[in-house]
Amino acid sequence: MRRLSTEDQNFQQTFADLLAFETVNDPELLVTVDQIIADVRRHGDAHVLKLTQQFDRHPAHQFSDLELSQASLKQAFEQLDPEVKNALQLAAERIRAFHTAQKQEGWQYVDALGNTLGQKVTPLDRVGIYVPGGLASYPSSVLMNAIPAQVAGVTEIIMVVPAPNGVLNPLVLAAAHLAGVHRVFTIGGAQAVAALAYGTETIPSVDKITGPGNRFVAAAKRAVFGQVGIDMIAGPSEILVYAEGANNAEWLAMDVLSQAEHDTVAQAIFISPDAALLDAVAEAIEAHLQALPKADIARESIANRGALVLVKNRQEAVDLINQVAPEHLELCLDEAVAMSEQIRHAGAIFMGRYTPEAIGDYCAGPNHVLPTSGTARFSSPLGVYDFQKRSSLIMCSEQGVKTLAKTADILAQQENLDAHARSARYRHQA
Amino acid sequence: MRRLSTEDQNFQQTFADLLAFETVNDPELLVTVDQIIADVRRHGDAHVLKLTQQFDRHPAHQFSDLELSQASLKQAFEQLDPEVKNALQLAAERIRAFHTAQKQEGWQYVDALGNTLGQKVTPLDRVGIYVPGGLASYPSSVLMNAIPAQVAGVTEIIMVVPAPNGVLNPLVLAAAHLAGVHRVFTIGGAQAVAALAYGTETIPSVDKITGPGNRFVAAAKRAVFGQVGIDMIAGPSEILVYAEGANNAEWLAMDVLSQAEHDTVAQAIFISPDAALLDAVAEAIEAHLQALPKADIARESIANRGALVLVKNRQEAVDLINQVAPEHLELCLDEAVAMSEQIRHAGAIFMGRYTPEAIGDYCAGPNHVLPTSGTARFSSPLGVYDFQKRSSLIMCSEQGVKTLAKTADILAQQENLDAHARSARYRHQA
């Protein structure tokens, strides 16, 4: 595994190059996706069915074959192995509890002039959740996307999940049952995004689309942004582990690998001021790789984008972490809480030696949909707030408006907006 | 002005057609903008200077001529006419007070197992505010974009504003002084957006770009989305006024015109169950238009996209309003508060007969950057929350992790993520 030290010549450049990850905008992809969206808008259900038969080799004969009943979701849940069923239930309960704490309420106040000002908070009416099919079809993603929407009070949650050859992961359906998903369609790709954004005869148009997908899905989400809301366009997963003091190198090495096994372009970085610990972690990673089913992926990820970084001290690590703005950050040291207070940018911060990132993926409670590729500089984990929106409330009293109307009148004249000025003037001269 | 009734044949179709406003994605525009972004990334300051000389006919000789000093902002403020200065100060104070109430704080709790969970809230490091130049260079927009960033605690607020022929509106500079803007560059267009997103030798790269602009600016913001955060891409301004009972038709007519004067594609809709009031408002609009400086714009806006709509009752109006999801909504009736509780989607709700929309544009306190074109279905007014972001906090205790690690282990196995399962297993078998 790549070994760096902040004392290396050109360290900053090497480190910046390691972090750089730019998705290429493929013009051909955009044309294909725009065409799919236009065709779905024009031909509705029929075109979605046709593409689903073609791309997913789905055996559906008519569009209604692509909708799953609530009974089938419930059945999938009830037929789970009891241990898995309990685990899924515990995860759902904990995710629900954490997200309930996130729910925002409206507020208002009366100002000194007697005018009422405030903010009303309402849930979105209808949202679409995209769940990838095939290998990356994760029940945990269903919980993490649908439960915040449910907690927000969204009236209708519509899930789309492609079923290649008509085959679905029953655990995904069980998770949809647990998370209160209202309707499920077994469709995917840009055609599913288009159907959710614009609606078809059968699928009602939604107000926002969340959830990860392949490059067709990402391009389609970007294209429909504005028509509907979208969550962030996710990049490869990342972890940054910082450790100092007494630590189990085997544990730390497995935490690093838990990101590396996701994807050959996933990024796993381990930072420490302790050279011996870096050696031990490097060795443990090699040892673990001998036994890991996804060793090929993890090995490529580490070779491509991984690094072990020696720092002079904790402050240097803080600065690097704030530069990376990692999706997942583990702080494995006694003073984890104090160190976390210096972290300005991270999707989720896992503190102490008993908080592996993997429990955050499933059942700690916070969301596992987190900002990647440094976007934690300006964005947040998926949350209840993504399924709520605000309206400003303004109510002036007959007396209270006078000062405000006078002010608005003066400023509107400066902006040459005469109707604005006159509209205000009526109220202060009334 | 177009007159509709919900009892018209095909009313729903006519009304839907009236609301439809789709910005066309001009492929040529996208190519131009992509090229500008690529050139600014490659050539930095030099290219921004070149385009500013070319497009804005700015007399700058070197890049440093494009930066304004803090002293020049202060001077612009101090030289204001006292009445205007006071009005701008009052507006800034009221906007600051409202937005301070919006500021979010972190929280945490300890669960029954002894694990700590929470959410940390931090401001963005650096943001860019785009202010249009020329006629649409509004000091109020500077306050509305910069003050929420300042309240959030953003370390550096960078404003860009094009200065055609080197000329600037001093009121815009005065507003930048009042709102605590840290640096101002007199640049605009896609080149300003590119410079803010990627940085140049002189301009540091920012984390988020907000503020309205022309179609080049909008296309550039969409293109850099992901590299930085952006606010919504704004459509034409809209107002929907609902009135019943005793009302002054002249006031209502001027409120309608205050949106129509913005833009020939702005949308002003007046709804009432009172046919006589519709007549009176129609008449007053015609009368006002005789004396309005921007009558030509307002007339075209009303002809293109305006309507007076007769409804059978208040409930029908509520349903129409929720369908429109208007940027600005005036509820001019005695029961405005009760009616507002039925409104699910609106950018800002102005209640009662003494709350003209124009005071919201300047000095009521809430933001005037609001979701347009029905996007209030899923988005919110610009706010302090746009300049803050969240990080999840997770800290398990040695005992508390055991249940969670067991659960994560089981679920990770179901997802075939073996390193995840093993990473969790270490902690529950420890």
Side-chain angles (χ1 to χ4, degrees):
Chain A
M1 192 162 173
R2 186 182 287 104
R3 186 83 170 250
L4 306 174
S5 160
T6 51
E7 297 200 316
D8 294 345
Q9 271 204 318
N10 296 322
F11 169 77
Q12 264 305 337
Q13 187 58 49
T14 310
F15 194 67
D17 291 345
L18 185 73
L19 298 181
F21 185 85
E22 199 155 351
T23 46
V24 181
N25 278 331
D26 173 357
E28 215 169 302
L29 172 69
L30 297 183
V31 170
T32 305
V33 164
D34 281 347
Q35 189 58 52
I36 291 174
I37 294 171
D39 287 342
V40 169
R41 291 182 71 176
R42 192 168 308 114
H43 304 296
D45 284 351
H47 198 70
V48 176
L49 175 63
K50 182 180 143 191
L51 295 184
T52 304
Q53 290 165 333
Q54 184 181 331
F55 297 151
D56 298 339
R57 301 164 308 282
H58 195 291
H61 293 296
Q62 55 209 2
F63 196 85
S64 59
D65 296 341
L66 297 174
E67 180 162 7
L68 301 182
S69 67
Q70 285 289 323
S72 67
L73 309 184
K74 187 154 187 261
Q75 192 185 27
F77 176 70
E78 282 167 357
Q79 288 176 353
L80 289 179
D81 169 276
E83 190 185 56
V84 175
K85 189 179 187 174
N86 286 340
L88 203 63
Q89 265 176 318
L90 180 76
E93 277 162 27
R94 290 188 59 90
I95 296 165
R96 192 168 286 122
F98 182 84
H99 287 80
T100 300
Q102 247 177 11
K103 196 171 172 177
Q104 308 194 338
E105 305 290 342
W107 46 264
Q108 55 182 53
Y109 63 89
V110 178
D111 70 15
L113 302 171
N115 302 310
T116 303
L117 300 166
Q119 189 172 278
K120 176 183 164 100
V121 178
T122 40
L124 275 63
D125 279 352
R126 193 186 285 131
V127 302
I129 289 173
Y130 191 97
V131 177
L135 286 177
S137 190
Y138 294 145
S140 56
S141 295
V142 176
L143 300 184
M144 294 291 184
N145 279 274
I147 290 175
Q150 191 191 33
V151 170
V154 169
T155 313
E156 192 171 16
I157 304 170
I158 300 181
M159 181 172 121
V160 294
V161 53
N165 302 304
V167 178
L168 272 172
N169 179 350
L171 209 53
V172 162
L173 303 187
H177 170 73
L178 258 184
V181 169
H182 298 92
R183 296 180 78 177
V184 177
F185 295 93
T186 55
I187 60 176
Q191 59 276 19
V193 173
L196 289 171
Y198 292 98
T200 67
E201 301 91 314
T202 306
I203 302 178
S205 61
V206 302
D207 300 308
K208 186 164 189 167
I209 301 174
T210 70
N214 64 19
R215 62 202 193 99
F216 289 93
V217 173
K221 279 171 68 182
R222 191 182 277 270
V224 301
F225 168 58
Q227 168 68 20
V228 297
I230 62 169
D231 58 348
M232 255 289 151
I233 297 190
S237 196
E238 313 144 18
I239 195 169
L240 192 156
V241 178
Y242 175 78
E244 64 172 83
N247 264 292
N248 186 322
E250 288 194 21
W251 296 13
L252 297 173
M254 197 58 89
D255 296 354
V256 166
L257 288 170
S258 73
Q259 286 308 302
E261 76 172 342
H262 267 300
D263 195 336
T264 56
V265 290
Q267 182 151 61
I269 296 175
F270 180 79
I271 300 183
S272 180
D274 178 348
L277 184 59
L278 287 172
D279 291 340
V281 168
E283 205 172 303
I285 286 173
E286 275 311 313
H288 287 330
L289 279 171
Q290 305 307 317
L292 207 64
K294 301 204 175 195
D296 287 352
I297 294 173
R299 211 181 285 279
E300 193 174 338
S301 152
I302 282 172
N304 284 340
R305 306 202 66 219
L308 301 162
V309 183
L310 181 68
V311 287
K312 286 202 283 290
N313 51 46
R314 199 184 293 170
Q315 185 56 49
E316 229 179 40
V318 166
D319 294 342
L320 289 181
I321 292 165
N322 283 326
Q323 179 185 347
V324 175
E327 182 190 13
H328 302 102
L329 172 65
E330 282 189 16
L331 301 177
C332 306
L333 70 160
D334 287 338
E335 301 81 6
V337 171
M339 187 170 175
S340 79
E341 285 159 11
Q342 292 184 271
I343 303 303
R344 296 200 311 283
H345 314 301
I349 308 178
F350 298 81
M351 293 175 284
R353 300 189 174 91
Y354 294 97
T355 318
E357 186 276 316
I359 68 146
D361 284 340
Y362 295 105
C363 57
N367 213 287
H368 80 192
V369 180
L370 297 168
T372 56
S373 305
T375 58
R377 289 181 290 110
F378 55 83
S379 54
S380 301
L382 189 69
V384 174
Y385 36 79
D386 286 301
F387 300 102
Q388 296 184 304
K389 71 267 184 337
R390 306 162 179 95
S391 303
S392 301
L393 297 174
I394 310 176
M395 182 161 185
C396 295
S397 65
E398 187 171 354
Q399 277 310 306
V401 75
K402 291 191 186 293
T403 307
L404 302 188
K406 185 87 201 297
T407 304
D409 183 0
I410 294 166
L411 293 173
Q413 287 180 60
Q414 294 295 317
E415 295 188 354
N416 295 315
L417 292 172
D418 208 60
H420 286 66
R422 293 180 194 212
S423 160
R425 201 171 309 148
Y426 277 131
R427 275 75 175 196
H428 72 87
Q429 292 181 350
Chain B
M1 193 162 173
R2 185 182 287 105
R3 186 80 171 251
L4 305 175
S5 159
T6 53
E7 296 199 318
D8 294 345
Q9 269 204 321
N10 296 323
F11 169 78
Q12 264 305 336
Q13 187 59 47
T14 310
F15 194 66
D17 290 347
L18 185 73
L19 299 181
F21 186 84
E22 200 156 351
T23 46
V24 181
N25 278 330
D26 173 357
E28 216 169 301
L29 172 69
L30 297 182
V31 171
T32 305
V33 164
D34 280 347
Q35 189 58 52
I36 291 174
I37 294 172
D39 287 342
V40 170
R41 291 182 70 176
R42 191 168 309 111
H43 304 296
D45 284 350
H47 197 70
V48 176
L49 176 63
K50 183 179 142 193
L51 295 185
T52 303
Q53 291 164 334
Q54 185 180 329
F55 297 151
D56 298 339
R57 301 163 309 280
H58 195 291
H61 293 296
Q62 53 208 7
F63 196 84
S64 59
D65 296 340
L66 296 175
E67 182 163 7
L68 300 183
S69 67
Q70 286 287 322
S72 67
L73 308 184
K74 189 154 185 262
Q75 193 186 24
F77 176 70
E78 283 167 357
Q79 289 177 352
L80 289 178
D81 169 276
E83 189 185 57
V84 175
K85 189 178 187 176
N86 287 340
L88 204 63
Q89 266 176 319
L90 180 77
E93 276 161 28
R94 291 190 58 90
I95 296 165
R96 192 169 285 120
F98 182 84
H99 286 79
T100 300
Q102 246 177 12
K103 196 170 170 178
Q104 308 195 338
E105 304 289 341
W107 47 264
Q108 55 182 53
Y109 63 89
V110 179
D111 70 15
L113 301 170
N115 302 308
T116 302
L117 300 167
Q119 189 172 279
K120 177 183 162 99
V121 177
T122 40
L124 275 62
D125 280 352
R126 193 186 284 131
V127 302
I129 289 173
Y130 190 97
V131 177
L135 286 178
S137 191
Y138 294 145
S140 57
S141 296
V142 176
L143 300 184
M144 293 292 183
N145 278 273
I147 290 176
Q150 190 192 33
V151 169
V154 169
T155 313
E156 193 172 15
I157 303 171
I158 300 181
M159 183 172 119
V160 294
V161 53
N165 302 305
V167 178
L168 271 173
N169 180 350
L171 209 52
V172 162
L173 304 187
H177 169 73
L178 258 184
V181 169
H182 297 91
R183 298 180 77 176
V184 177
F185 295 94
T186 56
I187 59 176
Q191 58 276 19
V193 173
L196 289 171
Y198 291 99
T200 66
E201 301 91 316
T202 306
I203 302 179
S205 62
V206 302
D207 300 309
K208 186 164 188 167
I209 302 174
T210 70
N214 65 17
R215 62 203 193 98
F216 289 92
V217 173
K221 279 171 69 181
R222 192 182 276 269
V224 301
F225 168 58
Q227 169 68 21
V228 298
I230 61 169
D231 59 347
M232 253 292 150
I233 298 194
S237 196
E238 311 145 20
I239 195 169
L240 193 155
V241 178
Y242 174 78
E244 63 171 86
N247 265 291
N248 186 322
E250 287 194 21
W251 297 11
L252 296 174
M254 197 58 89
D255 296 355
V256 166
L257 288 170
S258 73
Q259 287 308 300
E261 77 172 342
H262 266 301
D263 193 337
T264 57
V265 290
Q267 182 151 62
I269 296 175
F270 179 79
I271 300 182
S272 179
D274 179 347
L277 185 59
L278 287 172
D279 291 340
V281 168
E283 204 171 304
I285 287 174
E286 274 311 313
H288 289 328
L289 279 171
Q290 305 307 318
L292 207 63
K294 301 204 176 196
D296 287 352
I297 294 173
R299 212 181 285 277
E300 193 174 339
S301 152
I302 282 172
N304 284 340
R305 305 200 68 219
L308 300 162
V309 183
L310 181 69
V311 287
K312 287 202 284 290
N313 51 47
R314 196 184 295 169
Q315 185 56 49
E316 227 178 41
V318 165
D319 294 341
L320 289 181
I321 291 165
N322 283 325
Q323 179 184 348
V324 174
E327 182 191 13
H328 302 101
L329 173 65
E330 282 189 17
L331 300 178
C332 306
L333 70 160
D334 287 337
E335 302 80 7
V337 171
M339 187 171 176
S340 79
E341 285 159 12
Q342 292 184 273
I343 303 302
R344 296 198 312 283
H345 315 301
I349 308 177
F350 298 80
M351 292 175 286
R353 300 189 174 90
Y354 294 97
T355 318
E357 187 275 316
I359 68 145
D361 283 341
Y362 295 104
C363 57
N367 213 287
H368 80 193
V369 181
L370 296 169
T372 56
S373 305
T375 58
R377 288 181 292 110
F378 55 83
S379 54
S380 301
L382 189 69
V384 174
Y385 36 78
D386 287 301
F387 299 101
Q388 296 184 303
K389 71 268 186 335
R390 307 162 179 96
S391 303
S392 301
L393 298 173
I394 309 173
M395 182 162 187
C396 295
S397 65
E398 186 171 353
Q399 279 309 307
V401 74
K402 290 188 186 296
T403 307
L404 302 189
K406 185 86 201 297
T407 303
D409 183 0
I410 293 166
L411 294 174
Q413 287 180 58
Q414 295 292 320
E415 295 188 353
N416 295 314
L417 292 172
D418 208 61
H420 285 66
R422 292 179 195 210
S423 159
R425 201 171 308 147
Y426 277 131
R427 274 75 174 197
H428 72 85
Q429 292 180 350

